[in-house]
Amino acid sequence: MRFVFVSLIVLVVASPVWPQQPGAQDRVSATKLLGKFCFECHDSETREADVSLATFSNPTTFLEDRRVWLRAAEVIESGTMPPESSRQPTHAERETLLKWVTSSLEDVDWASVRAPGRVPLTRLTRDEFRFAAEDLFGIRVELDEMLPADPEGPSGFANDHTSLLMTAKQLDRFFKAAEVVAACAVDQALGASQVLHYEVEDGTNASFNKRISKGPDGSLGWTFSSKLGSKYQAVSKSFYFERTGFYRVRMRALSKGPGKNAAAWIAVDSVNDASRETGILVPGQDFAVHETELFLTQGHHRILLGYDFYGPLWLPKSPERPQMKLGQSTFDPPPYEPQGWLPNGLTVADLNAKGLHIADQDHDDAAELLSTINGGYFTAVLDNLMLHRFHYEKGYLPVFLAGLGYDYQESVVPALNALAKLAETDRSKLEQHLQSHEPDEYEALRQIAELQREAWSQQDRDRKQQVGDLFVDWIEFESLAGKGGQKSRSNNREQETPTPFLGIPESGAGVAGYLDLLLPRVTRRATGEEDRNRFLTLYQEERGAGANHRDALQRMLVAILVSPEFLYRTDGPAKEVGVARLDGNPLASRLSSFLWSSIPDQELMQAVTNTQLASCIALDRQVDRMLDHERRIRFSRAFTQQWLNLGDMGRGKEPDKELFRYFSWRLAQDMREEVALLFDRVLREDRSILELIDSKTTFLNERLARLYGIEDIAGPTFRSVELQDPRRGGLLGTAAVLTSTSLATRTSPVRRGQFVLETVLGVELPRPPADVPQLDDEAGQSRQISLRDSLAHHRRDPSCAGCHNRIDPLGFALENFDWIGRWRDSDPAGPVDSSARLPNGRQLSGVSDLKTFLIAERADEFTAALTRAMLKYALGRDLDYFDEHTVEDIVSQVKADDYRARTLVKTIVRSYPFCFREIKERHEQ
């Protein structure tokens, strides 16, 4: 049967579908080899790992499955396929097969298959709506909670046009967001500033009167204590806010000690981790006025002012594990055999022999009490000591060290009190007798417990040197209405300065002229009298119905912001079916969406009007201008967050809080910001994209610097830092990447190796077999067996070995970084072994060697991977087989220009799929 199948393959390949040209014999030979070594697992029916090589017989389907064949060439060359359990081809056979696959993929008439790809009509993303509104009106708004989330599309990005649908509920949310934007725009331009000032002396309020105390100058205020360790210490009060927009929040406060830093959070209407993002760091023990900003809509809001336990920049020097009270046994069942550990209990005779006197009439009562005591005391003490040992052997610190648990307090303590009364002594003396009755092994366990207590005490002393109690004298809110766009820092991130391109009209006489300027920006095209009159009529009807100028103008702006021409991004009306170069306006819209997540600005629209955008020189000039503008940071943040899959970090995907209770949304945000600023520097200064793999510079604030063990960096503001440690530079040394590629409870060499292969090098790995069990999350958390040994055992399964032999070594090279990116030389199993051996025999000795290897030997693969990701983001769609030539062309140009970042962006913008459109039917647009 196999002979007949192979013979049919040969007949198909020898047919006119594959032209008889030089190399045709190689094709016949390769086809025989496919039947001999590959089709048993990868024909159209078996499709092991969801891979079929049956497309070999047709040039079109072969090319459409280009990614599959590229992967096939890679595993053939590396020797990972066929699997070790199967018969192996000779070196010559492997070379023949590889030569045929490679030449077949390269010998393509790309002109005959070139296509720009279909990009459907799509709504604006959440970011595009927000930033377009800000750029139109020169305001800043917070709309994330109002607008619908943007689902990740097939391309892996949230701006994928195939996933940006508009439902009735979503349209309603855009309508509400438009109302907020319009109110903010009108209030900021036409409204007067509002100031709200509140302190305890001003009056009483049920909630704001909590925690009242006196400050060092005698003023009344609110005190919050770090000793409670609670993140929801708060007071609250309702205020009426007259304007929609950002309010500057001022707070007179100090840190009362013992630490020098305290912090506050401010939330609106409710409290959760997501609403606590407005934070104020209060350094120093002298009164000062501290500021932040808060976005509020017009109306009544309950303002909550609370103590931010995680706000100070202190982080522990050693890992914290688990966050549980010792004495509340967590062993169910116990991880030890109690027999041999639990002594025989005390008897009444033992107590009498120790000098205590139990009267004869009390003998039975005493014996019953001793039964309760013996059954609870020794078990509770042993569980407590074993829990200390459990943490100690793993190298972790427990959070709470006092107490022997609820059951002990409920049963043993009352029995001890009753027995002490019968014996006419005190309870402490009875406890001394119980302790003296313990086996000698308990003393060794107690010494371990003391080591744990001292380690905890040292960490607690370190915390108290940084984290202080907070005293707030007063709080004040000032609206920024009428003040225009202002640069500010929010949540430790510098915000750009919104610059309105025209002013809101102060009377009805200016509305028509205002619309003539506004509507071309809104619609991203030339507009005329008909477009203007449509909205001018709405304004006039509102005035006729009794609305004042301000309200009528606001309602008109809402209508503009929910109009289809603003909410949807289109390539313009279809002139004819087929492929055509984009007109200037749609091209400008694509460019501004790509680099600014917004609509074209006035200069870009002017370039379109003057028909300057069609030439490569003009496009390059606009790219440089846009990347020189501070709006560039939008692209840096959005692209890196999605490309590297960092969005969920700190929002449901984070280290286990029992492992590291100081991990918070703010630390996760700092981690993401470092990556964004690292990428942004490469763009801003047109540096080599290879600096994303290894760089001598990064961006840190004090919190991240402490995480990395870097001294002499103070405050929450990010600044450029020259790294002295070569192990830390580049994406692979950032806490964001290292945390996002870890599990909640441990590092994951598999995830980290997979990240290097798939994200950094663009290798497409098959899905793991469904019947192979996952590696235990607790793997590597024992002194008995390391994570490396656990994975070695996992790789014994032949169905796992092929991929894991490629993945695991790359992940092991990063093992010196723990699950939140801190450097470590040892883990619970002993010294960390970060050495690795690649399938081709190349040895790696850790992260520095890995980065050297990637730059020296895999720079082109990284460039191609980054190109594919950025091209997907720029086009708003997944790539297809006909895009591969575009990718190869971009990579060659970037490589020829020393891997310059702006060359990558410019070649994408000049590329065929970016500048052309395809219409298959007239009704598509």
Side-chain angles (χ1 to χ4, degrees):
M1 187 68 182
R2 173 53 58 92
F3 174 77
V4 173
F5 182 54
V6 173
S7 298
L8 288 172
I9 293 172
V10 174
L11 287 173
V12 170
V13 174
S15 70
V17 173
W18 292 105
Q20 296 297 319
Q21 57 185 11
Q25 186 58 45
D26 287 340
R27 185 171 290 118
V28 173
S29 300
T31 304
K32 292 179 180 178
L33 295 174
L34 286 172
K36 182 178 180 181
F37 295 108
C38 305
F39 282 115
E40 184 176 351
C41 299
H42 299 295
D43 62 9
S44 58
E45 294 182 0
T46 310
R47 297 182 65 91
E48 190 167 310
D50 199 29
V51 172
S52 169
L53 302 182
T55 56
F56 75 97
S57 60
N58 185 300
T60 302
T61 56
F62 179 90
L63 193 56
E64 288 175 354
D65 269 1
R66 176 182 175 83
R67 293 180 182 178
V68 172
W69 286 100
L70 283 170
R71 195 164 74 203
E74 189 173 306
V75 297
I76 292 168
E77 184 177 21
S78 65
T80 54
M81 284 290 165
E84 294 180 2
S85 57
S86 303
R87 56 179 174 170
Q88 299 293 309
T90 65
H91 176 75
E93 289 174 325
R94 205 177 278 278
E95 287 295 311
T96 298
L97 191 54
L98 181 63
K99 180 181 177 183
W100 173 75
V101 174
T102 304
S103 62
S104 297
L105 291 172
E106 291 177 350
D107 296 340
V108 176
D109 180 10
W110 288 107
S112 66
V113 298
R114 187 169 73 161
R118 182 174 173 271
V119 180
L121 181 71
T122 181
R123 68 167 172 84
L124 297 180
T125 66
R126 180 161 57 182
D127 280 349
E128 287 170 345
F129 183 93
R130 172 196 161 193
F131 290 135
E134 291 185 351
D135 295 344
L136 280 171
F137 304 113
I139 59 175
R140 289 186 296 113
V141 288
E142 292 287 352
L143 302 175
D144 283 357
E145 298 300 317
M146 302 178 196
L147 292 173
D150 302 320
E152 182 182 292
S155 67
F157 291 94
N159 67 344
D160 193 307
H161 293 198
T162 60
S163 63
L164 292 173
L165 307 177
M166 181 75 87
T167 66
K169 287 184 178 180
Q170 288 176 331
L171 182 59
D172 183 59
R173 294 179 70 174
F174 275 101
F175 188 89
K176 291 177 180 177
E179 290 180 321
V180 170
V181 170
C184 184
V186 172
D187 282 347
Q188 180 161 298
L190 304 180
S193 179
Q194 176 193 19
V195 178
L196 295 170
H197 183 95
Y198 188 88
E199 49 189 302
V200 173
E201 291 89 344
D202 291 342
T204 59
N205 177 276
S207 179
F208 255 35
N209 276 351
K210 294 191 302 183
R211 306 185 186 280
I212 292 177
S213 64
K214 283 190 176 182
D217 62 351
S219 61
L220 291 179
W222 303 279
T223 293
F224 306 92
S225 175
S226 62
K227 299 178 182 62
L228 298 179
S230 171
K231 61 183 177 181
Y232 290 143
Q233 301 175 47
V235 294
S236 65
K237 178 177 172 57
S238 291
F239 295 93
Y240 180 76
F241 297 91
E242 297 175 356
R243 309 281 179 255
T244 294
F246 272 96
Y247 283 73
R248 179 169 290 120
V249 182
R250 297 187 182 93
M251 186 177 77
R252 184 174 187 258
L254 56 77
S255 172
K256 294 182 68 174
K260 63 182 180 181
N261 291 304
W265 53 262
I266 301 172
V268 181
D269 297 328
S270 63
V271 181
N272 54 50
D273 281 345
S275 68
R276 294 170 58 243
E277 295 199 5
T278 302
I280 300 178
L281 181 67
V282 182
Q285 298 186 6
D286 295 322
F287 272 119
V289 176
H290 305 277
E291 294 185 356
T292 187
E293 288 185 347
L294 196 63
F295 186 79
L296 295 160
T297 55
Q298 180 190 37
H300 285 94
H301 292 287
R302 186 168 71 100
I303 301 298
L304 297 99
L305 168 66
Y307 179 73
D308 192 343
F309 190 70
Y310 303 122
L313 300 171
W314 176 84
L315 288 172
K317 294 180 180 178
S318 57
E320 288 193 48
R321 297 283 280 231
Q323 206 173 163
M324 60 185 67
K325 292 183 179 179
L326 295 182
Q328 292 184 347
S329 177
T330 57
F331 299 142
D332 185 24
Y336 62 91
E337 180 57 51
Q339 281 73 21
W341 288 100
L342 295 175
N344 295 323
L346 286 172
T347 65
V348 174
D350 292 330
L351 293 180
N352 286 330
K354 292 177 180 294
L356 300 179
H357 178 69
I358 304 294
D360 291 343
Q361 66 269 24
D362 296 327
H363 185 280
D364 290 344
D365 289 342
E368 185 174 346
L369 290 170
L370 278 173
S371 176
T372 300
I373 293 167
N374 290 328
Y377 173 85
F378 295 106
T379 300
V381 168
L382 182 59
D383 272 6
N384 181 283
L385 295 176
M386 283 294 190
L387 197 55
H388 274 293
R389 190 179 79 164
F390 172 77
H391 294 151
Y392 177 75
E393 289 181 345
K394 287 182 171 289
Y396 310 142
L397 290 179
V399 175
F400 300 105
L401 300 173
L404 290 175
Y406 179 80
D407 292 341
Y408 181 87
Q409 298 296 327
E410 285 293 301
S411 59
V412 176
V413 170
L416 282 170
N417 288 332
L419 184 59
K421 188 174 182 180
L422 290 178
E424 298 180 352
T425 186
D426 54 52
R427 193 179 85 198
S428 62
K429 187 167 290 188
L430 286 175
E431 290 174 332
Q432 291 175 10
H433 292 314
L434 286 164
Q435 187 168 336
S436 67
H437 198 68
E438 295 171 1
D440 293 340
E441 292 87 351
Y442 277 40
E443 180 58 31
L445 294 177
R446 287 187 188 279
Q447 291 177 12
I448 291 175
E450 285 304 312
L451 291 173
Q452 288 287 78
R453 288 176 184 275
E454 175 53 33
W456 166 255
S457 298
Q458 178 59 46
Q459 179 168 282
D460 195 43
R461 288 191 293 270
D462 183 56
R463 179 177 67 88
K464 288 178 179 178
Q465 290 175 4
Q466 296 292 332
V467 181
D469 294 345
L470 174 69
F471 179 83
V472 179
D473 182 19
W474 51 256
I475 188 169
E476 180 177 271
F477 305 88
E478 180 188 11
S479 73
L480 300 183
K483 294 183 178 296
Q486 299 185 34
K487 181 174 289 190
S488 65
R489 295 185 184 276
S490 178
N491 300 331
N492 306 333
R493 296 181 4 168
E494 186 172 290
Q495 307 296 317
E496 62 191 77
T497 305
T499 305
F501 75 99
L502 72 165
I504 295 286
E506 296 184 1
S507 68
V511 172
Y514 177 71
L515 287 171
D516 286 338
L517 294 172
L518 178 68
L519 291 178
R521 290 282 306 282
V522 167
T523 61
R524 285 87 84 189
R525 63 173 175 81
T527 58
E529 185 177 352
E530 182 180 348
D531 299 293
R532 179 191 65 202
N533 289 342
R534 184 155 49 102
F535 295 104
L536 182 60
T537 300
L538 174 61
Y539 169 82
Q540 293 168 341
E541 288 175 351
E542 290 290 330
R543 291 302 304 270
N548 59 29
H549 166 68
R550 180 172 172 167
D551 291 343
L553 184 64
Q554 186 172 320
R555 291 165 193 167
M556 182 191 76
L557 293 179
V558 171
I560 290 172
L561 292 172
V562 295
S563 62
E565 284 192 291
F566 178 71
L567 281 183
Y568 287 88
R569 188 159 70 86
T570 174
D571 287 338
K575 296 179 180 178
E576 59 184 21
V577 175
V579 175
R581 188 175 183 88
L582 285 174
D583 292 335
N585 286 306
L587 184 58
S589 184
R590 278 195 182 186
L591 185 56
S592 60
S593 178
F594 173 29
L595 298 181
W596 284 354
S597 296
S598 184
I599 57 177
D601 68 346
Q602 199 165 13
E603 183 169 340
L604 189 54
M605 292 293 289
Q606 189 66 38
V608 170
T609 303
N610 296 337
T611 65
Q612 295 174 356
L613 207 58
S615 73
C616 293
I617 294 176
L619 275 174
D620 286 354
R621 185 183 302 118
Q622 288 298 324
V623 169
D624 278 329
R625 180 184 70 86
M626 296 175 76
L627 292 181
D628 287 338
H629 197 285
E630 57 189 355
R631 290 175 188 167
R632 171 199 64 251
I633 191 63
R634 301 172 181 174
F635 169 54
S636 298
R637 286 173 179 152
F639 177 71
T640 55
Q641 180 173 305
Q642 296 174 62
W643 172 43
L644 304 175
N645 194 26
L646 307 178
D648 292 337
M649 189 174 57
R651 299 276 190 241
K653 180 183 177 182
E654 58 190 8
D656 192 319
K657 285 295 182 67
E658 290 186 349
L659 308 185
F660 189 65
R661 65 174 177 152
Y662 290 96
F663 192 92
S664 64
W665 62 265
R666 187 172 284 120
L667 179 57
Q669 180 174 277
D670 288 346
M671 291 177 174
R672 280 191 291 268
E673 187 70 356
E674 178 193 8
V675 170
L677 293 175
L678 183 66
F679 182 86
D680 192 67
R681 175 177 179 260
V682 171
L683 272 184
R684 183 180 70 250
E685 300 179 9
D686 195 17
R687 304 180 74 88
S688 168
I689 60 173
L690 300 184
E691 290 190 19
L692 297 174
I693 296 178
D694 195 13
S695 173
K696 296 181 179 180
T697 304
T698 192
F699 292 83
L700 303 175
N701 62 5
E702 184 175 348
R703 187 181 290 105
L704 267 185
R706 283 178 174 272
L707 192 76
Y708 293 169
I710 297 175
E711 304 292 337
D712 301 324
I713 295 178
T717 304
F718 278 84
R719 77 292 314 266
S720 176
V721 176
E722 291 296 318
L723 295 169
Q724 305 303 315
D725 185 349
R727 301 171 299 188
R728 182 61 73 176
L731 293 176
L732 297 180
T734 61
V737 167
L738 295 163
T739 301
S740 66
T741 53
S742 294
L743 299 176
T745 57
R746 64 166 173 83
T747 61
S748 174
V750 175
R751 286 192 179 185
R752 289 178 175 177
Q754 185 177 352
F755 173 86
V756 174
L757 278 176
E758 293 186 327
T759 303
V760 177
L761 297 178
V763 175
E764 294 190 25
L765 294 169
R767 293 192 298 270
D771 56 345
V772 176
Q774 294 279 335
L775 193 65
D776 189 348
D777 283 358
E778 291 300 313
Q781 302 303 308
S782 165
R783 290 184 184 272
Q784 282 68 49
I785 182 170
S786 69
L787 184 56
R788 182 182 287 265
D789 292 336
S790 298
L791 281 168
H793 179 76
H794 190 68
R795 286 197 301 273
R796 291 176 188 171
D797 189 322
S799 60
C800 300
C803 284
H804 279 279
N805 286 336
R806 303 168 67 198
I807 294 172
D808 297 355
L810 298 171
F812 283 134
L814 299 171
E815 266 297 276
N816 278 117
F817 295 110
D818 75 0
W819 75 104
I820 57 168
R822 293 174 295 188
W823 184 265
R824 59 180 181 174
D825 293 309
S826 62
D827 63 13
V832 170
D833 180 5
S834 60
S835 64
R837 185 176 184 273
L838 301 179
N840 64 2
R842 172 74 151 82
Q843 290 290 139
L844 300 177
S845 58
V847 61
S848 296
D849 207 14
L850 172 60
K851 292 189 294 185
T852 299
F853 161 71
L854 292 174
I855 291 175
E857 301 183 32
R858 307 297 291 271
D860 290 354
E861 287 93 329
F862 169 68
T863 304
L866 179 57
T867 297
R868 287 190 179 92
M870 197 177 291
L871 188 59
K872 291 176 185 179
Y873 182 87
L875 298 176
R877 64 169 174 83
D878 200 5
L879 301 187
D880 215 323
Y881 72 94
F882 47 74
D883 294 306
E884 288 302 317
H885 183 64
T886 297
V887 172
E888 291 174 359
D889 183 54
I890 293 172
V891 170
S892 66
Q893 292 186 58
V894 173
K895 181 180 180 181
D897 196 23
D898 295 327
Y899 301 98
R900 295 295 169 192
R902 292 199 180 189
T903 302
L904 172 58
V905 176
K906 290 173 183 176
T907 49
I908 286 176
V909 169
R910 295 195 303 257
S911 69
Y912 180 78
F914 193 90
C915 292
F916 283 77
R917 65 185 297 188
E918 180 179 19
I919 299 296
K920 294 185 177 179
E921 297 180 36
R922 287 294 299 271
H923 68 264
E924 282 190 15
Q925 296 290 326

